[in-house]
Amino acid sequence: MLSEVLLVSAPGKVILHGEHAVVHGKVALAVALNLRTYLRLQPHSNGKVGLNLPNIGIKRAWDVARLQLLDTNFLEQGDITPEKVEKLKEVAGFPEDCANHERLAVLAFLYLYLSICRKQSALPSLDIAVWSELPTGAGLGSSAAYSTCLAAALLTLCEEIPNPLKDGEATSRWTSEDLELINKWAFQGERVIHGNPSGVDNAVSTWGGALRYQQGKISFLKRPPALKILLTNTKVPRSTKALVLSVRNRLLKFPEIVAPLLTSIDAISLECERVLGEMVAATPALEHYLVLEELIDMNQHHLNALGVGHTSLDQLCQVTMAHGLHSKLTGAGGGGCGITLLRPDLEGPEVEAMKQALTSCGFDCWETSIGAPGISIHSAASLDVPIRQALDGL
């Protein structure tokens, strides 16, 4: 078992095109978002396992000796069932007032820790600290980034996969074979949290870049270009379940109107995929960005026609359009987040002015990029000072 500190990070995700249409068998394009979740694993010998998640206010510890005595055979038996989750809750020993999302983050950790480390002669003593740039519950894949970081760090600690970071390197990534194993375990963590996830979020967190998803099949786009975007969180809460149901109901009520909209959204996803492919094959030109902007506008209008828009998202589109930029919702809609494409010819002051205008609407903004690298391992010196301080200060 390794004894050194491990520092890993994984990206979040946004849906570029195809949200809602994907539920009806159409293509969706998901891309890695370079807002990352960072995890530090510190092995020690104090007989404790500690988990610190400051973004959601969790700090928990368990005695290794007590965990060692548990009968963990139930973890071997195939799928994650409600019965397994109940057993994990007993292990976790939650206080009565513990919120559900907090419980799920702890349960995913315990599941992965016990499942991956149980093959060792003794369960390891360790502290895990996680700090994320991603807002939780915003449809940006924060739980998948968390599960992916946990899987990669625990598998590396237990030497199920090698540590790819060589002396003197700042950052490294695992081989595709090792990434397969990381992704498999990250998906299990996601299942503890979400029950029946599609597997898209953890695939994006593991491999990064961009992928297309259709009817359960995931395929990766060849090295997508890193596009700069502005991500905006309207902070308007929404229910994904209710929005998916409302689109289904509209499709049943107006099949000849709504079915062509879904077909059109599918065509937008495919055209976007084609343009991204062209941008990789040749030097990205302004014409490419103009096509991407048109696709963004058309998709946003279609999503409004499906009934998943919101006045806050209209406001986002109007503010960015006033600065000559193009935006659409990403994810379920009805509030939540939107993305704005930042062309390479944009001047810094223009972007700042737009960010200020959006902040004055009460929104949160991040200037970031999509097409980011997947799960990575870092040397401490390579991490930005604020990230190091966040992880060290925990």
Side-chain angles (χ1 to χ4, degrees):
M1 192 163 339
L2 298 187
S3 56
E4 69 251 35
V5 173
L6 299 173
L7 290 165
V8 301
S9 76
K13 75 100 189 27
V14 291
I15 302 290
L16 200 51
H17 291 291
E19 46 272 277
H20 288 288
V22 72
V23 177
H24 302 277
K26 309 300 186 190
V27 167
L29 296 182
V31 289
L33 176 69
N34 210 17
L35 294 176
R36 300 181 78 85
T37 292
Y38 293 86
L39 180 149
R40 187 191 65 199
L41 187 155
Q42 168 100 52
H44 51 61
S45 53
N46 69 355
K48 300 265 189 210
V49 180
L51 178 68
N52 197 344
L53 310 174
N55 299 81
I56 53 174
I58 285 179
K59 193 166 190 177
R60 300 290 307 275
W62 298 267
D63 284 321
V64 171
R66 191 176 77 78
L67 295 177
Q68 194 77 52
L69 293 171
L70 293 171
D71 175 7
T72 53
N73 286 330
F74 74 92
L75 293 170
E76 272 185 3
Q77 296 141 17
D79 278 352
I80 291 163
T81 59
E83 294 76 41
K84 270 192 194 173
V85 174
E86 285 309 310
K87 281 193 180 174
L88 283 170
K89 284 181 183 170
E90 288 170 31
V91 175
F94 288 117
E96 284 304 304
D97 60 347
C98 190
N100 195 43
H101 68 281
E102 294 175 16
R103 288 173 191 251
L104 294 171
V106 172
L107 292 177
F109 163 71
L110 283 172
Y111 175 81
L112 291 171
Y113 170 77
L114 293 170
S115 299
I116 292 169
C117 301
R118 64 197 290 273
K119 294 175 191 160
Q120 305 296 309
S121 55
L123 288 172
S125 278
L126 53 86
D127 269 323
I128 280 184
V130 182
W131 181 79
S132 187
E133 297 170 329
L134 290 159
T136 55
L140 300 173
S142 61
S143 67
Y146 168 69
S147 292
T148 305
C149 283
L150 282 174
L154 291 167
L155 287 165
T156 305
L157 172 78
C158 294
E159 298 182 272
E160 296 277 326
I161 55 176
N163 181 346
L165 192 68
K166 305 285 180 280
D167 281 350
E169 281 186 331
T171 296
S172 188
R173 304 204 56 226
W174 286 267
T175 64
S176 59
E177 194 181 329
D178 294 337
L179 290 174
E180 290 281 358
L181 189 61
I182 291 169
N183 187 53
K184 188 192 104 174
W185 281 109
F187 183 56
Q188 296 304 320
E190 275 282 84
R191 291 184 68 187
V192 172
I193 294 169
H194 291 297
N196 189 26
S198 67
V200 166
D201 290 13
N202 49 278
V204 171
S205 277
T206 301
W207 275 281
L211 61 79
R212 73 185 299 206
Y213 178 81
Q214 187 174 25
Q215 294 179 326
K217 288 194 189 72
I218 292 172
S219 55
F220 288 87
L221 275 60
K222 249 200 224 125
R223 281 196 342 274
L227 300 173
K228 287 172 81 173
I229 63 155
L230 192 69
L231 174 75
T232 302
N233 186 359
T234 66
K235 299 193 276 194
V236 174
R238 74 274 180 268
S239 160
T240 300
K241 209 174 187 176
L243 288 157
V244 168
L245 187 63
S246 73
V247 173
R248 189 176 294 283
N249 288 339
R250 192 168 278 199
L251 176 61
L252 292 170
K253 190 175 178 184
F254 305 111
E256 292 188 356
I257 298 168
V258 176
L261 284 174
L262 298 173
T263 303
S264 179
I265 290 172
D266 192 51
I268 289 170
S269 297
L270 294 172
E271 177 63 10
C272 179
E273 187 180 348
R274 188 192 67 74
V275 173
L276 293 177
E278 246 181 42
M279 290 171 85
V280 172
T283 310
L286 190 58
E287 288 72 39
H288 291 129
Y289 284 90
L290 296 176
V291 173
L292 291 178
E293 288 180 336
E294 275 192 84
L295 295 175
I296 283 170
D297 288 346
M298 288 190 285
N299 199 352
Q300 179 60 18
H301 287 304
H302 283 358
L303 289 161
N304 276 329
L306 291 178
V308 296
H310 189 268
T311 50
S312 62
L313 293 162
D314 294 341
Q315 198 175 7
L316 162 66
C317 292
Q318 283 157 8
V319 169
T320 57
M321 189 57 82
H323 291 83
L325 294 171
H326 302 255
S327 307
K328 68 174 281 291
L329 67 86
T330 179
C337 292
I339 51 173
T340 307
L341 184 63
L342 299 178
R343 291 189 309 273
D345 61 328
L346 276 175
E347 300 291 335
E350 287 179 82
V351 179
E352 281 310 309
M354 184 173 63
K355 278 162 72 175
Q356 280 182 341
L358 290 167
T359 306
S360 66
C361 297
F363 303 157
D364 287 341
C365 294
W366 296 267
E367 200 175 333
T368 182
S369 62
I370 52 178
I375 183 79
S376 305
I377 187 160
H378 310 276
S379 68
S382 71
L383 293 181
D384 290 345
V385 173
I387 295 160
R388 281 216 304 275
Q389 286 173 338
L391 288 169
D392 290 342
L394 302 179

